[in-house]
Amino acid sequence: MLKRNIIFGLILMIPLLASPSARADDLAPVLQTGELVVGVKADYRPFGYRDMEGELAGFEVDVAKRVAQLLGVNLRLIAVTSSDRLQKLASGEIDVLIATLGDTIDRRRLVRMIEPGYYGGGASVLLEEASPIRSWDDLKGRELCAVQGALWNRLAATRLLAEIKAFGSVRDAELALRDKSCAGWLYDEAAIMHLLGRAEWSGFRMLPPQFVAPWAIAVANDGPLATFLDETVAMLLREGWLTQLEKTWNLPPSSYLEQAEQRWTQRDANGNWLCRQDENGKWPVECRDLDLIEAQDLRGIGTAFVMLRDQFGLDLTPFYDPFSRAGFLKALATTILLAVAAVLGSLLFGIVGGKMLQSEKRLIRSPAQMLATLFRMTPPLLQLYLVFFGIGGLLAAHGVTLNALWVAVLILSLYAGASNAIAISEASAAISIRAEDRARKVARLAYPTVMGSCINIVKATAMASAIAVGELLHASTAIIADYGNVAVMMNILLGCYVALVLAVVYAFGQVEKRLLAR
Amino acid sequence: MTNAEAAEMLFVWTPFLAQGFAWNIVISLAAMAIGTPIGIFLAQLRLSGSRAASWLTAMARLPPTFVLLFYFAYLLPGEFAFGNLKVEVPAWLKASLALSVAVVGFVSDNAQPCIRHLRRGERLEALYFIPAWTTYFLIIVMASSTASVIGVPELVNRANTVIAAAGEHAATLWVYSYAMLWFLGFCLPLSWLMNWLRVGLAAQGNNVDPSGANVKVAVRADGRADQ
């Protein structure tokens, strides 16, 4: 009997062991080590940026300082970006995230959002003064530059039907807008408003804000730290400290802060705060922002995907969500296009270059030698940057814009083409001019090297993501920034590439069998 | 921006960029240091007929380094704890690990003929491994620039910082071209040296072995860029 009870008791405990502790004590370790690690932005004036000494500073840094001071611990700041902030929080690299994170229903599924928000804002679009875009409705079908991980990207694509070109960093998006490779730059209202105050952006204007949401501090899980932060932000609103901070940083008065302060300073008949935590540490419903934006649409069979995620941590919801799925499939097609075009391009450059290297005329041979050396002895990533941002910038001043995809094809083709040219010229030098069936013999001799460099160029297509070509890596990191399902996406990505490389190896094997072998 | 202004800007930032290039070398040397012993080990196993080693080598050749870079950056924890001992894995080491996978594949393939020659007592032919290995090191140096995308402050990453600091569009072309010169300046002389070594070895081989039978050793000097 006793034995049976013990077994029964153990069975009852299994779900407790299996489910991640929902209310793990995350405050104790912070107090114990005496250090709070906070992720803030480094590229978002005036909320989080590096000052002249290279130190992190800004509105959000001040909030982080105040929180650490209230806890009586030291503060360690870590710079995060829109695309890696949720992942750094989930991995435990940071305890608290204060990084211009808009509070949405989707994100509440990933992290514990602190209520109330400490600031609020929406999206805007930075445009050239002369741009024909006058309102949000004009964005339909237009190409907009954006930053990966920003909430607005999906909303603008699904609701306004704009074409989104998301870059990995604010700097790259800025450069791309200056190079006129998009009609406008979709980003946070607060950041754009700040940019417009600077001389270098004179001649630009912005659209009125849209999709306004509170900005919230976030922690990984519900727990004592979350409860403490809930209470702290409420206190900062009641003290008027946040509006004071807004003035310190010369921010225009935000309507969100004004309304929030009003709401949180209301008292009931007994003189107590109207908004106060109940015994479970929850705010009353009337104090909460519940009309949040829901960007994803998970219904019907989608609930099965949600179950898979919540029970087994296997988040395949992006493949249920039509927006993410279409994005991923399009990226797969782009990668294949890039790979095929780069292989063909590198063969073309290889054959032409090989002929030039064999030329008896120095005027033809020397430039070919120099170019082949230049392309083989410098990193292709740098070549991509140089052509897309450097030369692209010069051309933009003359009204010509470069297409990122074709820049990538050109650079990859030249990089592998240089190797191919040398292999082909060496092979052709080794075969007598008078040999029978000479072309086939040269091809057979150069074949192993050419195949090797073509396979490598297929692998290198992932590099095109650095100039925001929407290939597989780019699509995967964009999905990770939205969903935080790092392991799933990374394994799918690696699997796709391995399959692609195997396909190319197979194709080359067929070519060898049909054309080169006797 | 006039040429003089550009030259002055590059001069001022040179120490900062040079430190970045030192990172490229550190990352690449670490990748070679991790990948080479594993590759030699696999090569030895393959020579004794191990199928697992052949399979592991094939696996090392498949994944793109650029994708592995993100894979490790996102999935490897920043810190491992063995009991009380905490081992940090900084971003640059993750980059080295990603690059070392390709090194394993290359070394496993190229060390095989080298070991075979050594076992036959053909020292000279075995030496062909050195220029091939060094050439591959140069390829890894160039590939180390990709560490910039995961935030390692190496040369390309710092070039981006300089461009942002200059705040002028004209600076972009200058700074990237200058960064390219650093890579050229490092890789070109070393590559010439290795070619010279290869020719020298071949000439020696001809002297020692008049039949010339083993001159064309199966060194794949063409270990092309693996990004």
Side-chain angles (χ1 to χ4, degrees):
Chain A
M1 195 60 189
L2 181 68
K3 206 171 160 192
R4 215 161 129 201
N5 275 343
I6 290 175
I7 291 173
F8 191 56
L10 282 176
I11 291 172
L12 276 182
M13 272 177 67
I14 288 172
L16 285 180
L17 294 172
S19 67
S21 47
R23 281 189 72 90
D25 190 355
D26 45 3
L27 191 54
V30 171
L31 296 175
Q32 206 180 356
T33 54
E35 186 182 68
L36 183 74
V37 186
V38 180
V40 292
K41 286 277 181 84
D43 59 5
Y44 201 131
R45 271 171 198 273
F47 289 91
Y49 66 96
R50 288 197 186 277
D51 63 13
M52 299 298 261
E53 279 88 46
E55 299 290 323
L56 288 164
F59 183 100
E60 292 178 334
V61 174
D62 288 348
V63 175
K65 282 181 183 157
R66 185 77 201 273
V67 169
Q69 186 198 352
L70 287 168
L71 280 171
V73 294
N74 290 325
L75 175 67
R76 183 151 66 93
L77 294 170
I78 286 188
V80 298
T81 64
S82 292
S83 56
D84 68 11
R85 55 189 172 189
L86 290 180
Q87 176 243 331
K88 283 198 163 147
L89 187 62
S91 71
E93 197 177 329
I94 53 178
D95 301 318
V96 177
L97 180 67
I98 314 181
T100 66
L101 183 72
D103 190 357
T104 69
I105 291 176
D106 313 306
R107 284 173 175 162
R108 285 193 177 188
R109 297 194 185 109
L110 300 174
V111 293
R112 165 70 156 84
M113 291 287 189
I114 301 303
E115 290 177 77
Y118 61 91
Y119 200 77
S124 182
V125 179
L126 184 61
L127 301 160
E128 275 188 72
E129 202 63 72
S131 165
I133 298 170
R134 291 280 149 199
S135 78
W136 287 85
D137 295 331
D138 298 340
L139 292 175
K140 189 175 166 185
R142 297 279 186 166
E143 237 181 3
L144 295 182
C145 287
V147 180
Q148 268 194 14
L151 168 68
W152 329 121
N153 303 354
R154 161 193 293 272
L155 292 169
T158 53
R159 301 196 186 167
L160 304 169
L161 305 179
E163 294 272 331
I164 299 296
K165 266 167 86 177
F167 287 80
S169 72
V170 169
R171 178 200 81 111
D172 289 355
E174 254 181 56
L175 279 180
L177 176 66
R178 289 203 173 264
D179 291 355
K180 299 184 176 50
S181 59
C182 38
W185 175 23
L186 175 73
Y187 201 46
D188 293 11
E189 158 208 3
I192 289 179
M193 204 184 281
H194 186 82
L195 282 181
L196 282 179
R198 301 169 76 172
E200 63 210 83
W201 290 98
S202 60
F204 282 81
R205 63 186 165 85
M206 67 190 273
L207 290 184
Q210 171 85 283
F211 309 125
V212 177
W215 289 5
I217 299 178
V219 292
N221 297 302
D222 198 8
L225 183 59
T227 312
F228 167 80
L229 289 170
D230 281 342
E231 195 55 69
T232 303
V233 178
M235 183 195 80
L236 296 179
L237 279 172
R238 288 175 190 142
E239 279 182 348
W241 189 81
L242 287 167
T243 20
Q244 202 55 50
L245 195 60
E246 186 181 43
K247 283 197 196 100
T248 313
W249 286 103
N250 288 325
L251 285 160
S254 88
S255 54
Y256 170 82
L257 268 188
E258 195 185 321
Q259 286 166 15
E261 208 169 273
Q262 213 171 31
R263 184 195 296 173
W264 288 83
T265 45
Q266 280 172 3
R267 291 174 190 272
D268 62 13
N270 302 328
N272 292 324
W273 299 118
L274 202 62
C275 295
R276 58 176 190 272
Q277 291 178 334
D278 64 15
E279 59 275 19
N280 297 321
K282 295 270 176 285
W283 301 113
V285 175
E286 60 270 24
C287 298
R288 302 183 60 188
D289 280 303
L290 291 174
D291 55 339
L292 293 171
I293 294 169
E294 178 156 28
Q296 297 169 30
D297 187 12
L298 293 169
R299 262 169 284 183
I301 198 172
T303 50
F305 285 92
V306 173
M307 193 276 293
L308 206 59
R309 178 187 63 197
D310 294 346
Q311 294 292 312
F312 303 104
L314 189 67
D315 189 357
L316 294 173
T317 46
F319 295 98
Y320 172 71
D321 172 39
F323 173 71
S324 303
R325 186 177 55 217
F328 193 85
L329 290 178
K330 195 174 166 208
L332 184 64
T334 306
T335 296
I336 292 171
L337 171 67
L338 255 178
V340 171
V343 165
L344 293 179
S346 76
L347 291 176
L348 180 73
F349 283 125
I351 292 166
V352 175
K355 278 244 184 308
M356 286 170 73
L357 287 174
Q358 281 290 299
S359 168
E360 312 225 313
K361 295 195 183 89
R362 246 191 104 173
L363 256 165
I364 296 179
R365 203 174 60 232
S366 301
Q369 275 168 342
M370 270 171 60
L371 280 177
T373 311
L374 184 70
F375 279 103
R376 285 172 65 231
M377 295 288 163
T378 53
L381 182 66
L382 204 43
Q383 296 168 12
L384 277 178
Y385 283 151
L386 181 84
V387 172
F388 188 68
F389 290 123
I391 297 177
L394 284 186
L395 291 178
H398 297 93
V400 181
T401 48
L402 290 179
N403 177 299
L405 178 76
W406 295 110
V407 168
V409 168
L410 178 75
I411 294 296
L412 293 173
S413 302
L414 280 168
Y415 184 67
S419 301
N420 288 347
I422 289 170
I424 289 172
S425 102
E426 278 174 3
S428 103
I431 306 273
S432 154
I433 294 267
R434 286 180 295 276
E436 246 177 80
D437 204 6
R438 188 162 180 273
R440 188 194 290 258
K441 281 181 179 151
V442 170
R444 202 180 302 145
L445 197 58
Y447 173 79
T449 312
V450 170
M451 173 174 157
S453 71
C454 286
I455 288 172
N456 283 324
I457 217 58
V458 169
K459 292 186 189 175
T461 52
M463 224 178 273
S465 61
I467 54 169
V469 174
E471 50 67 73
L472 277 179
L473 176 64
H474 189 263
S476 303
T477 50
I479 289 177
I480 288 170
D482 275 356
Y483 292 81
N485 56 343
V486 180
V488 173
M489 289 318 295
M490 279 294 147
N491 283 310
I492 291 175
L493 174 68
L494 202 57
C496 284
Y497 263 100
V498 167
L500 187 64
V501 171
L502 286 175
V504 174
V505 172
Y506 176 79
F508 267 92
Q510 290 296 310
V511 169
E512 190 189 22
K513 217 156 86 187
R514 300 265 162 85
L515 298 178
L516 298 180
R518 248 174 239 282
Chain B
M1 187 176 271
T2 65
N3 290 0
E5 278 167 354
E8 196 196 330
M9 169 191 72
L10 293 179
F11 182 75
V12 169
W13 286 100
T14 292
F16 178 75
L17 292 171
Q19 281 169 25
F21 193 66
W23 270 115
N24 287 89
I25 305 298
V26 168
I27 293 166
S28 312
L29 284 177
M32 296 306 276
I34 298 165
T36 306
I38 301 176
I40 290 177
F41 182 65
L42 285 183
Q44 278 173 338
L45 286 181
R46 282 166 78 193
L47 281 177
S48 50
S50 160
R51 291 186 71 181
S54 308
W55 192 78
L56 280 174
T57 306
M59 287 311 288
R61 281 189 296 236
L62 278 180
T65 306
F66 200 72
V67 174
L68 276 184
L69 192 70
F70 277 85
Y71 196 90
F72 287 158
Y74 276 109
L75 288 183
L76 274 189
E79 203 177 68
F80 283 101
F82 299 106
N84 286 331
L85 187 73
K86 276 193 181 159
V87 183
E88 272 194 40
V89 188
W92 71 267
L93 190 57
K94 290 181 180 176
S96 292
L97 283 172
L99 292 167
S100 74
V101 173
V103 178
V104 169
F106 169 82
V107 172
S108 173
D109 285 338
N110 287 270
Q112 245 186 330
C114 169
I115 296 169
R116 220 181 278 134
H117 285 299
L118 279 180
R119 287 187 184 165
R120 285 194 216 127
E122 297 161 346
R123 290 252 180 102
L124 193 70
E125 283 78 2
L127 282 179
Y128 271 93
F129 182 62
I130 293 173
W133 186 89
T134 313
T135 308
Y136 202 74
F137 168 66
L138 296 183
I139 286 163
I140 293 295
V141 170
M142 286 186 279
S144 69
S145 64
T146 54
S148 59
V149 293
I150 60 165
V152 179
E154 51 68 72
L155 182 56
V156 176
N157 187 286
R158 287 181 183 219
N160 286 337
T161 310
V162 172
I163 290 166
E168 230 182 301
H169 207 287
T172 317
L173 203 57
W174 284 104
V175 176
Y176 284 141
S177 307
Y178 184 59
M180 270 189 171
L181 272 184
W182 275 85
F183 283 98
L184 263 181
F186 181 83
C187 295
L188 208 49
L190 257 178
S191 146
W192 280 334
L193 183 71
M194 288 307 122
N195 269 337
W196 176 78
L197 201 64
R198 224 172 268 143
V199 172
L201 278 174
Q204 281 247 324
N206 280 331
N207 291 339
V208 175
D209 177 9
S211 72
N214 283 316
V215 171
K216 263 275 176 195
V217 201
V219 169
R220 284 188 50 193
D222 57 275
R224 286 286 168 249
D226 184 287
Q227 305 288 344

